Amino acid sequence: MDSEGTFDARGTRSNPVPRPARPPVAPGIPAVPGHAPTTRPAVADWLRTPRPAAEPGVWRLGHRARPDEEPELVPARRLFAGALIALLSGWLLWSLLWNGYLGRYWLWPFLVLTPDSWNGTMAQVVASYTYYAIVGGGLLVFFGRIGHVPEIWQRYVLRSDKPVTAPPPRPDADPADWPDLRSAGLLDAAQSLTDATRSGALGDVDYARIRRAWQGVHARPDRLAAFTDTVRKHGAAACGHPSGLRDLPVRTATHDLATAQVKIGTAVDDERNPYARRTTGVALEPALLGTSLLAVGPSGSGKSVRLVRPVVESMCLLALANRAAVVAVTAYGTGLAPDDAFDLVIGVGRPDSTHDLDLYGGAEDPDEAARVLAEALVGDLAATLPGGDSRRAATALAQLIGPYQCVHGHFPAVPELRELLGGAPTAVGVLRTALEAAGEAAQLRELDARERQSARADDIGVLLAERIAFLDRPAFAEFFRTDGGGRQFSLRAIEHPLRVRIDLPERGHAEASRIVARLVLAQFNEAALTRSDRSLFACLVLDDATYTVTADSVRAVQRLRSANAGVVFALRTLEDVPEPLRGPLLGAVGCRMAFAGLAPWDGGRFAEAWGTEWVQTRDVTNRQIISDEPLTKALHMMRRLVTGKAATAEAVTVREVERARWSASDLAHAVPAGHAVLSLTTVRGEHAPPLLVDLRT
């Protein structure tokens, strides 16, 4: 497992991780690297809060398990009426006993147990009142239980939804004392961290980061000395992120870095939700996002604010803890997160962007580079048009960029590639002359094959030239350089705990933005699946995945589960995905989320993916009982007074029927604003049924 700079001195690595994308410090104001936030959570109490094991997606911090089935509750009117009648009956019995109307036999135990010498003394008075209290208390308990008084106390006084407080742990198991380090014999390091935890100098990110480093020591025992030394020297700032930061400037969501969870809402107390999940918090974590997530909902339904933003914020915190790498793709000006929350902000087509995006994803092999670029250019057409076949496109690109690389030592830039794909005589002639001069017979055969195919009426090169023309615009003149100029970013850097945001020029270059989004997705899949070190969770977040999903990307997403990586797709409608890929996409992702305002045809796709379930239905037929006898009529009147219902005879029919978990109509019309229906799957295969979630709590 790579150290990610955890035990290295800062600034000494040959390929340092980019520093945070923050504005330059004003003159005269010194920078404070590694400055901890002034307000930190009470980490000691936070660590002591219980986190019981729970089903997928349950917010575990302070979670209280609920019963699997709803208990049979007596209606409130009947409950209080029965309690009142029982207590009145007990009071009546006590009055009869006290006044002697039932005789004095109930005093026989008292008379037997007290000696005659106590008669007329204070001892007899104390003993008699003690006996009265015992008898009266027994009657009170007896009639209280008959009247269900304990149930009233539990239901209306001791409410089960009160927050869980942190119970004081055993002294030898207090997580604030770092017991793992103490048991390993690192007493000095443990004491240093304990002091920092109790004083508030150590934050939750620091805790998660140092715990990550300690796990690395378990995997590589040779790092024990370095770990001990850095903790002794730096305390809470030990094992720092390459940026030197220890927290985000602003947090907008609720996080628990001990479990790597971010809370996105609360399961609604609704009959559609399983009883055990109602009113419980709903959270996302790498174990769930590793199966990838698809969120569909119209504009304004809350996808960006209530889902994408918390997920990106959580991944950035985990990156600062050296546990994750995140790449967020969004439209310029969306405000997904402040620039200071990222190590790198790439503004595609913007002159103030500090970094360029590698068009070929850092690939050195022409075939690999051509395959990834073909996905970006025509991948969205591969499922619908024969001429948009990605394999044909990759072959055509390889027949050009391979010979070009052989002559120039690098792949062609966008203008040169456009000329070659368009069959410009000058560009092709210059390339041919250079190949002949270099004696590259094999590359000449590739170029000859491209020229022969370009003569066909259905040549894929025409489509490729049309698509790459969207990137050959003045706005991108200084972008996608391949000559070594500028500072290029490649998705292969996700082996490091990076925080990257890529801003797309959606407003003026919509088609170019979609090509770049497909390019980032293809490069991410390639990089995540070929990583040598998969200990970091790699996450790609597409704030708008319109026309980004391709057939190859759907297949790659299924393989990301075993690569400790995942993708978050946010769509306004499934109509933005090619029709043949809508079903496979829903099947490829493990987490599906339907927001309020979903179209019925989109709801039908989700309903089909979530399937059906067997439910028990009860048909109850009530027949009022009418009696002419005075006593029976009096009893029926008493029953109606207590229960509020007439005396009836019920006939119950119970049946097992199969119905959709969520129908298309329910998804389209029964999901309130600010809510969503979410189903979850972990990378281990555990499932959570579709839940109606309130995203505002």
Side-chain angles (χ1 to χ4, degrees), residues 320-390:
L320 290 178
N322 295 327
R323 293 189 170 197
V326 58
V327 178
V329 181
T330 182
Y332 177 77
T334 303
L336 189 63
D339 291 354
D340 282 358
F342 298 93
D343 300 308
L344 192 62
V345 176
I346 302 175
V348 178
R350 297 190 60 82
D352 57 348
S353 179
T354 59
H355 283 72
D356 191 0
L357 187 63
D358 192 337
L359 185 65
Y360 299 97
E364 298 179 356
D365 178 60
D367 292 324
E368 178 185 347
R371 184 176 66 252
V372 175
L373 185 57
E375 268 291 288
L377 295 177
V378 298
D380 59 324
L381 304 177
T384 56
L385 298 178
D389 187 3
S390 294

Side-chain angles (χ1 to χ4, degrees), residues 3 15 79 126 153-154 160 186 198 269 335 337 457-458 473 537 545 568 586 601 604 643:
S3 66
N15 55 341
L79 191 65
V126 172
W153 181 264
Q154 287 287 343
S160 60
L186 308 181
R198 296 187 182 279
D269 189 3
D458 61 344
R473 305 297 301 159
F537 177 71
V568 176
L586 282 167
W601 43 89
T643 64

